Amino acid sequence: MNPTEWRTYLVTQESRSAGRETAAVVEAALSGGVDAVQLREKGRPARERYELGRRLRDLTADAGVPLIVNDRIDLAAAVDADGVHLGQSDLPAEIARGRLGDEAIVGVSASTVPEARAAAEAGADYLGVGAVYRTGTKDVPDETNGVGPERVAAIADAVDLPVVGIGGIDAGNAGAVTAAGAAGVAVVSAVTAAADPRAAAAELREVVGDGR
Amino acid sequence: MNPTEWRTYLVTQESRSAGRETAAVVEAALSGGVDAVQLREKGRPARERYELGRRLRDLTADAGVPLIVNDRIDLAAAVDADGVHLGQSDLPAEIARGRLGDEAIVGVSASTVPEARAAAEAGADYLGVGAVYRTGTKDVPDETNGVGPERVAAIADAVDLPVVGIGGIDAGNAGAVTAAGAAGVAVVSAVTAAADPRAAAAELREVVGDGR
Ligand code: NI
């Protein structure tokens, strides 16, 4: 499944998973039907992310779902991930492409049209656009009120790449993001911190299907 | 020049460079005669370290001095460094070897004999041992008083790899570190924060030569 087909995209963060381990959250989310999983786990040492990444590689491969690694090209290669997701202050997309090869999926975070155009130029396969809504997570661009579905629409119009909205998205507002032109939505807490991550993933999937 | 010949090893940290840019500090230290340079710059975004690493690659290549990148295998490859230095919580040395190849220099931090033996087993080319002395830098193992020259001696005896002492080392105590069996000494502030980094590098070189 390639990024144009991703509707729901889980981003892991054990520190926001209500005391559960990330592998358990991912297993539940896969059974609820997420289309892609990103190993994020900001703040954890590389060695821990590596060990976790190997477990997530097994789980996602069994489910036939791509695994993307946040930030680090070396970690993506080490766990045999399908690709890497790069922020604006990470290594350039061209470097990831050169190291991981043509088949790898390279995603880039963009919160403006110029950033989106630059990412397309650099060979990105998809864009993570956000923060769409206000979010408590500090690891997306700091715009207090979010860039909104309007920015998602502007970027989706400007570039010929699938856009995944991220930041403050849940089942209640995901439909507006896909209606604006996003191919899919990425979530952290809406699934990781949910009482029932499997049910939350399934509900999100249903909403995003409806939103198209 | 391979790690067995390194006497003085500069580790960069712009935040500890008395307001100077790292490239200027490195240029001065190279003219003072350091044998290896490590791009560290903890806390700075990968993209900044990449841009800086490319400048340091030029400067070190002109001087015929190896450039090592701290922590990240992808960044080491991206700037065409000679190798990578890995901490105990970084990716395993075997991964670095597989990604960077047989010719790459792989260093590993070790503060105990078991860690040193494991690093040798994993194919490390040299060990960074410390913190030897008490240090204000928070990026070396947190032992209030340092492991001391005794630990350097124990590790140098236990493994057949060159040992570079690190942590709280300056011209005043470097001789004791090499006398204990270290092949060389790594410094941050003793050069980066010195009034005259070139002179500080030259003085350190003189002391370490005497210490052998
Ligand atoms: Ni490769």
Side-chain angles (χ1 to χ4, degrees):
Chain A
M1 181 177 282
N2 75 56
T4 58
E5 301 171 282
W6 294 347
R7 294 182 178 192
T8 60
Y9 180 129
L10 175 69
V11 176
T12 77
Q13 190 63 40
E14 195 158 293
S15 60
R16 297 170 65 84
S17 298
R20 290 176 292 238
E21 289 194 351
T22 283
V25 169
V26 167
E27 204 159 8
L30 288 168
S31 80
V34 294
D35 296 321
V37 173
Q38 180 188 124
L39 172 67
R40 179 174 285 179
E41 307 293 333
K42 286 221 186 234
R44 290 176 71 182
R47 181 73 71 108
E48 284 184 24
R49 281 181 283 156
Y50 169 65
E51 301 296 348
L52 173 59
R54 301 211 299 174
R55 291 183 66 190
L56 300 192
R57 174 70 295 180
D58 282 345
L59 294 172
T60 52
D62 288 350
V65 162
L67 176 66
I68 305 296
V69 169
N70 193 46
D71 288 357
R72 288 188 57 157
I73 301 164
D74 49 3
L75 185 57
V79 304
D80 194 26
D82 297 283
V84 69
H85 187 90
L86 302 169
Q88 290 289 318
S89 61
D90 290 324
L91 290 176
E94 296 90 337
I95 299 279
R97 179 69 63 206
R99 295 296 296 172
L100 299 175
D102 285 347
E103 300 300 309
I105 298 169
V106 177
V108 172
S109 295
S111 57
T112 66
V113 168
E115 284 177 0
R117 290 206 167 106
E121 188 76 22
D125 295 301
Y126 76 92
L127 301 176
V129 172
V132 180
Y133 298 109
R134 184 175 185 151
T135 170
T137 313
K138 285 286 168 49
D139 47 20
V140 288
D142 187 26
E143 306 213 20
T144 313
N145 295 305
V147 300
E150 306 72 20
R151 186 73 59 78
V152 171
I155 288 173
D157 281 353
V159 298
D160 194 26
L161 284 178
V163 164
V164 175
I166 186 167
I169 298 176
D170 58 26
N173 60 25
V177 180
T178 51
V185 293
V187 299
V188 187
S189 306
V191 167
T192 63
D196 181 342
R198 193 203 59 76
E203 186 190 2
L204 191 68
R205 184 183 181 80
E206 201 177 297
V207 168
V208 173
D210 292 346
R212 292 192 165 202
Chain B
M1 181 176 282
N2 74 55
T4 58
E5 301 171 283
W6 294 349
R7 295 185 178 190
T8 61
Y9 181 128
L10 174 69
V11 177
T12 76
Q13 191 62 41
E14 196 158 295
S15 61
R16 297 171 66 87
S17 299
R20 291 176 290 237
E21 291 193 350
T22 283
V25 170
V26 167
E27 204 158 10
L30 288 168
S31 82
V34 294
D35 297 321
V37 173
Q38 180 187 124
L39 172 67
R40 179 174 286 178
E41 306 293 335
K42 286 222 185 235
R44 291 176 71 180
R47 181 73 72 108
E48 284 184 24
R49 280 181 283 158
Y50 170 65
E51 301 297 345
L52 173 58
R54 301 211 298 176
R55 291 182 67 190
L56 299 193
R57 175 69 294 181
D58 282 345
L59 294 172
T60 52
D62 287 351
V65 163
L67 175 66
I68 305 297
V69 169
N70 192 45
D71 287 355
R72 289 189 55 157
I73 301 163
D74 50 2
L75 184 56
V79 304
D80 193 27
D82 297 283
V84 70
H85 187 91
L86 302 168
Q88 289 289 319
S89 61
D90 289 325
L91 290 175
E94 295 91 335
I95 300 279
R97 179 68 63 205
R99 297 296 295 172
L100 299 176
D102 285 346
E103 298 302 307
I105 298 169
V106 177
V108 172
S109 295
S111 57
T112 66
V113 168
E115 284 176 0
R117 290 205 167 107
E121 188 77 19
D125 295 302
Y126 76 92
L127 301 176
V129 171
V132 179
Y133 298 109
R134 186 175 184 149
T135 170
T137 312
K138 286 286 169 50
D139 47 20
V140 286
D142 187 24
E143 307 213 21
T144 312
N145 295 307
V147 300
E150 304 74 18
R151 186 73 58 80
V152 170
I155 289 175
D157 281 351
V159 298
D160 194 28
L161 284 178
V163 164
V164 176
I166 185 167
I169 298 175
D170 58 26
N173 58 25
V177 180
T178 50
V185 293
V187 299
V188 187
S189 306
V191 167
T192 64
D196 181 344
R198 192 203 60 76
E203 186 190 3
L204 190 67
R205 183 184 182 80
E206 200 177 299
V207 168
V208 173
D210 292 347
R212 294 192 163 200

